Amino acid sequence: MKNFTAMVLHTKMNKTVMCVLERTFFHPKLKTYFRDKTKVMAHDELETCNPGDRVSLRPCAPFSKNKAMVVDDIIARNQRLMPTYWTKKTEAQKRYTPKTTSELLPSQKSRVQLGEVPDVRPVQ
């Protein structure tokens, strides 16, 4: 049987994860590549998967009407969902962290208005 690589979308059900399978195929008449996505349910006995993880899925005998795959292995954890205190700062971030918006460059001020830089306090 063939193993599939998928990304976990959510883990809201008990011992079940919703995954998306992506495949790329070549259309011979149009001579171009297309991307196809399929949602599948997979059994996760230990409930170790998190949304965004890359997992290896293996087909098996059906567990239910929609669930006929098992999570074999977690290939890669999702780095974006980790808390910010786990991630390492770059040398430039360690050297310069502005305290107020008056110390920011014009390009950085627009990012503050969009809410992308939460560390900076507005000038009063």
Side-chain angles (χ1 to χ4, degrees), residues 88-96:
K88 294 182 180 177
K89 287 189 173 182
T90 62
E91 289 300 321
Q93 288 173 334
K94 288 178 185 175
R95 277 186 267 129
Y96 177 71

Side-chain angles (χ1 to χ4, degrees), residues 14 25 34 41 58 66 78 86 90 107 109 114 118-119:
N14 291 336
F25 62 94
F34 286 98
M41 287 184 177
R58 175 178 45 91
N66 298 324
N78 185 5
W86 287 0
T90 62
S107 62
K109 285 183 182 178
L114 294 174
D119 304 340

Side-chain angles (χ1 to χ4, degrees), residues 30-49:
L30 300 177
K31 302 213 181 333
T32 184
Y33 286 93
F34 286 98
R35 199 180 300 173
D36 185 32
K37 294 179 183 179
T38 306
K39 285 185 182 180
V40 295
M41 287 184 177
H43 185 70
D44 182 20
E45 183 68 35
L46 302 176
E47 296 185 355
T48 55
C49 295

Side-chain angles (χ1 to χ4, degrees), residues 3 8 11 19 24-25 37-38 47 50 61 81 92 98-99 103 110 116:
N3 285 4
V8 177
T11 58
C19 300
T24 307
F25 62 94
K37 294 179 183 179
T38 306
E47 296 185 355
N50 294 318
L81 294 179
K99 301 294 186 257
E103 300 173 14
S110 63
E116 294 178 4

Side-chain angles (χ1 to χ4, degrees), residues 9-99:
L9 290 178
H10 65 78
T11 58
K12 295 177 183 175
M13 298 166 276
N14 291 336
K15 297 188 180 185
T16 303
V17 292
M18 179 67 79
C19 300
V20 62
L21 293 172
E22 291 183 7
R23 71 182 186 101
T24 307
F25 62 94
F26 182 75
H27 195 286
K29 197 168 191 177
L30 300 177
K31 302 213 181 333
T32 184
Y33 286 93
F34 286 98
R35 199 180 300 173
D36 185 32
K37 294 179 183 179
T38 306
K39 285 185 182 180
V40 295
M41 287 184 177
H43 185 70
D44 182 20
E45 183 68 35
L46 302 176
E47 296 185 355
T48 55
C49 295
N50 294 318
D53 291 351
R54 280 259 175 234
V55 293
S56 174
L57 301 178
R58 175 178 45 91
C60 65
F63 281 95
S64 66
K65 177 183 172 184
N66 298 324
K67 187 165 68 166
M69 292 201 174
V70 175
V71 175
D72 247 359
D73 189 24
I74 298 174
I75 298 169
R77 292 277 183 192
N78 185 5
Q79 299 297 320
R80 286 178 274 164
L81 294 179
M82 294 173 67
T84 54
Y85 55 84
W86 287 0
T87 59
K88 294 182 180 177
K89 287 189 173 182
T90 62
E91 289 300 321
Q93 288 173 334
K94 288 178 185 175
R95 277 186 267 129
Y96 177 71
T97 37
K99 301 294 186 257

